Amino acid sequence: MLTLHVAERSPEAAVLADGASVAAVGPFQELADGHPGARVRRWPGILTPGLLNPYGPELLEATYHPDPREADTLGTEPIGGERAREIFRADPARLGASARRGVQRMLAHGTVAVAGELRSRAVLDAVRRAGLAVGQRPDRLPGPAALSPKPLILLPGLVPGGPARFAVFDVGDRAELVRRGAGTCVATVIGGRLVYRAR
């Protein structure tokens, strides 16, 4: 099934997805006229190729992402450092569930690829099941691990025949995305599937 994604601030970069692949990239009206049967998804902001988060091991293996049912005791924010190590030592099975929740947080920040050497089978499974690509980690990491790292690392542009993997951010342009960060994500698509949508 053809789906045409367009963001209001970047109509020249609309994406026509055919299942898990990009069928075409170009001006919205041109693609809509050429494929009148395509389902259209309209988004605010700009459509981008999505982000690479270089902190895969730090965010998925060394950080505990609490279950919402643990909010009373652990809060809702990610837990790192010695406290995370204590949680994983006390119950190693928590790593897989934490990684799945961590992946969901990454998707909510427009992440479509991660980098860094992941060693845990449970974490690798969570990454694979979500469809996240695994990319090359930059030689130098600029700062602390974060869901919205600075600087943001955008993936190369989308091309016909390539994977339908991208993210939409509710910003006016890329400069505003850099300024406001990845928390402005409104939609993430991996393998042609909408895997995150802001409420």
Side-chain angles (χ1 to χ4, degrees):
M1 173 179 205
L2 294 175
T3 305
L4 180 54
H5 294 266
V6 61
E8 64 186 22
R9 299 300 291 257
S10 60
E12 73 290 346
V15 174
L16 182 67
D18 185 1
S21 299
V22 172
V25 179
F28 169 71
Q29 200 57 57
E30 184 179 302
L31 295 178
D33 291 346
H35 305 277
R39 177 175 67 170
V40 176
R41 284 196 180 268
R42 296 180 185 275
W43 305 104
I46 63 170
L47 192 150
T48 73
L51 302 175
L52 166 75
N53 191 310
Y55 298 104
E58 293 83 354
L59 292 174
L60 298 175
E61 293 180 333
T63 301
Y64 182 69
H65 299 272
D67 187 300
R69 296 170 291 192
E70 299 172 313
D72 290 345
T73 55
L74 296 176
T76 59
E77 293 302 309
I79 299 168
E82 184 55 36
R83 180 70 178 119
R85 288 189 287 278
E86 289 172 8
I87 291 169
F88 293 139
R89 273 195 303 267
D91 185 359
R94 285 177 133 175
L95 181 60
S98 171
R100 289 188 294 277
R101 291 187 295 271
V103 164
Q104 290 304 311
R105 285 178 185 241
M106 291 177 128
L107 296 173
H109 284 79
T111 298
V112 298
V114 296
E117 186 180 351
L118 298 172
R119 295 186 172 130
S120 162
R121 182 183 234 38
V123 172
L124 287 165
D125 285 347
V127 166
R128 188 179 65 252
R129 284 189 186 125
L132 289 170
V134 177
Q136 183 71 29
R137 192 168 190 165
D139 292 334
R140 290 180 34 199
L141 296 176
L147 292 166
S148 183
K150 293 183 180 176
L152 296 176
I153 303 171
L154 279 170
L155 291 179
L158 300 169
V159 295
R165 181 187 303 131
F166 52 90
V168 183
F169 298 90
D170 191 5
V171 294
D173 55 29
R174 286 189 179 192
E176 185 180 353
L177 171 58
V178 168
R179 196 169 56 255
R180 291 182 52 204
T184 57
C185 181
V186 292
T188 304
V189 173
I190 293 181
R193 295 180 306 112
L194 185 62
V195 294
Y196 169 76
R197 181 179 190 159
R199 296 182 181 171

